[in-house]
Amino acid sequence: MASKEYRNIQAAENREQIEAHIRSILRLIGEDADREGLLETPARVARMYEEIFSGYVADYHEVLGVLFDENHEELVIVKDIDYFSQCEHHMVPFMGKVHIGYVPSGKVAGLSKFARLVEAVSKKLQLQERMTTEISGVIMDVLAPKGVMVVVTGQHLCMCGRGVKKSGAVTVTSATRGEFRHNYALRNEFMALIQS
């Protein structure tokens, strides 16, 4: 594991390079990178990138944190978790909601940890399909539940603001693991509860 000092030096070097590239992009699109309104834009973009791409340095398994022994063996749902991510095809935002359901097998995580997991997984160049799979996979790996189901809805600005320009289109993806794969009653219960 790199030392904190090394990571700070690396982050500063990355920031400088990003700023230089943003300045170049501004010139390439026909802007005057030295005009007053744009002078600080490269630095602002570099700081924004550190925030919106922080998932590259997150340890997803650590994010779920301390697990609690709990005999609850019924469905647990955390729904309507907002996320904001960046499409890897066009580097424009997509955003929506994540709904997570799982059936514990002796261990539970604090409910806020699921929101933190969504935050960590979404903060990188991403595909909604992959994000859905990653969230379900981490929950299976860390909690080892009897089953997990993740449903993600998203609006993609690459569809809204360019290309086909369909601003009302919503993409829905799902991932099922364990009991959710074959237990249709459990799936239906989850779907009914997230829609209520």
Side-chain angles (χ1 to χ4, degrees):
M1 186 65 137
S3 72
K4 186 175 181 181
E5 181 181 350
Y6 173 79
R7 289 192 309 269
N8 289 339
I9 291 169
Q10 188 63 50
E13 289 174 3
N14 290 350
R15 211 174 301 122
E16 286 177 21
Q17 289 184 43
I18 290 169
E19 287 180 33
H21 289 295
I22 295 300
R23 208 176 283 340
S24 294
I25 289 170
L26 288 170
R27 289 189 183 104
L28 289 169
I29 63 171
E31 267 293 354
D32 174 5
D34 297 318
R35 73 174 169 85
E36 187 176 336
L38 293 176
L39 278 176
E40 296 302 316
T41 296
R44 283 191 293 265
V45 171
R47 287 191 305 272
M48 177 188 70
Y49 279 2
E50 285 181 351
E51 179 183 339
I52 67 174
F53 296 130
S54 61
Y56 287 110
V57 294
D59 181 337
Y60 300 160
H61 292 78
E62 261 184 37
V63 169
L64 282 178
V66 177
L67 302 181
F68 303 100
D69 292 322
E70 183 57 53
N71 289 327
H72 184 81
E73 294 184 1
E74 301 294 328
L75 180 59
V76 176
I77 296 175
V78 182
K79 69 176 197 170
D80 295 326
I81 303 169
D82 292 319
Y83 73 89
F84 185 88
S85 193
Q86 302 290 319
C87 167
E88 71 178 36
H89 294 151
H90 299 98
M91 292 184 71
V92 294
F94 69 96
M95 69 284 298
K97 295 196 181 289
V98 176
H99 314 284
I100 298 169
Y102 76 105
V103 178
S105 62
K107 298 278 185 193
V108 297
L111 297 177
S112 67
K113 302 303 183 185
F114 295 99
R116 292 181 196 281
L117 176 62
V118 169
E119 183 80 2
V121 174
S122 65
K123 295 297 185 194
K124 59 183 181 178
L125 292 176
Q126 190 60 280
L127 293 176
Q128 183 175 324
E129 297 89 337
R130 183 184 316 119
M131 187 172 83
T132 307
T133 300
E134 284 181 325
I135 292 168
S136 64
V138 172
I139 294 168
M140 283 301 287
D141 288 348
V142 175
L143 289 177
K146 293 178 180 177
V148 64
M149 185 166 179
V150 176
V151 172
V152 178
T153 62
Q155 286 199 293
H156 295 249
L157 293 188
C158 57
M159 277 186 65
C160 300
R162 57 156 305 281
V164 295
K165 297 185 177 120
K166 299 300 178 200
S167 60
V170 175
T171 301
V172 180
T173 52
S174 69
T176 56
R177 302 288 180 270
E179 283 188 16
F180 282 93
R181 282 256 164 117
H182 307 289
N183 186 333
Y184 296 106
L186 184 59
R187 267 198 215 190
N188 290 339
E189 180 184 0
F190 172 76
M191 294 304 292
L193 290 170
I194 68 170
Q195 292 169 6
S196 65

